[in-house]
Amino acid sequence: MKETVMAHLPPPPVVTQEVRIVDAQGHTRILLSAKDGTPTILLIGSDGAPRAMVALDAAGRPAVTLSNPDPTWPSAALAIDDKGAHVKFDRPGGASSYLFLNNAGGSGMVLIDAAGKRRIGMTVTPDGKTKVERLGDDGKPLP
């Protein structure tokens, strides 16, 4: 009877700082790590480049980063930091979009053109006041 009970117990946990899951060719494709004191899950493309990362910073705030297999195409990030929550889309060369909700309850969106110039900014303050701003090539507000 004792052997039957022992056979159904789960195996003990594996305790380590890092686990690497490899493909049939021995290339690391998934990395689970707490080696540097911050937990990280990294998904790695067949070319060896990171494609997705989920991590906590030293303060325990999470972030998710998604990299495009084509380095000339957009990437995305979702993060919590000391200021609030943010979603950012970036395209190499300057274009980006940014959406945020700060800890005080203010929110907004910023759109940046391919030259890296801010073109539109929209905000809502915690008390409900709104502001929409269009910017010209010189960075000054348009009428």
Side-chain angles (χ1 to χ4, degrees):
M1 180 76 172
K2 194 172 193 180
E3 286 183 33
T4 305
V5 172
M6 294 297 285
H8 290 84
L9 292 177
V14 175
V15 179
T16 186
Q17 289 185 340
E18 193 168 272
V19 173
R20 293 175 184 264
I21 299 175
V22 299
D23 62 17
Q25 292 74 41
H27 301 112
T28 301
R29 299 302 301 273
I30 303 172
L31 176 65
L32 307 170
S33 180
K35 192 166 117 178
D36 296 327
T38 55
T40 303
I41 301 169
L42 188 61
L43 304 180
I44 302 166
S46 59
D47 60 355
R51 294 286 174 246
M53 181 177 70
V54 177
L56 296 180
D57 68 11
R61 296 177 294 238
V64 176
T65 305
L66 306 173
S67 301
N68 204 305
D70 184 329
T72 64
W73 290 353
S75 62
L78 169 62
I80 304 293
D81 64 18
D82 61 339
K83 296 175 192 153
H86 315 272
V87 177
K88 189 171 183 191
F89 303 101
D90 279 310
R91 185 173 189 280
S96 68
S97 308
Y98 181 71
L99 181 66
F100 67 90
L101 177 61
N102 66 34
N103 293 335
S107 61
M109 181 174 72
V110 176
L111 302 177
I112 297 172
D113 70 14
K117 294 180 182 175
R118 184 177 176 152
R119 291 310 189 132
I120 296 177
M122 295 182 277
T123 57
V124 179
T125 62
D127 63 358
K129 294 180 182 159
T130 61
K131 181 178 179 182
V132 177
E133 187 175 51
R134 293 180 11 197
L135 303 166
D137 285 339
D138 58 1
K140 294 182 180 175
L142 294 171

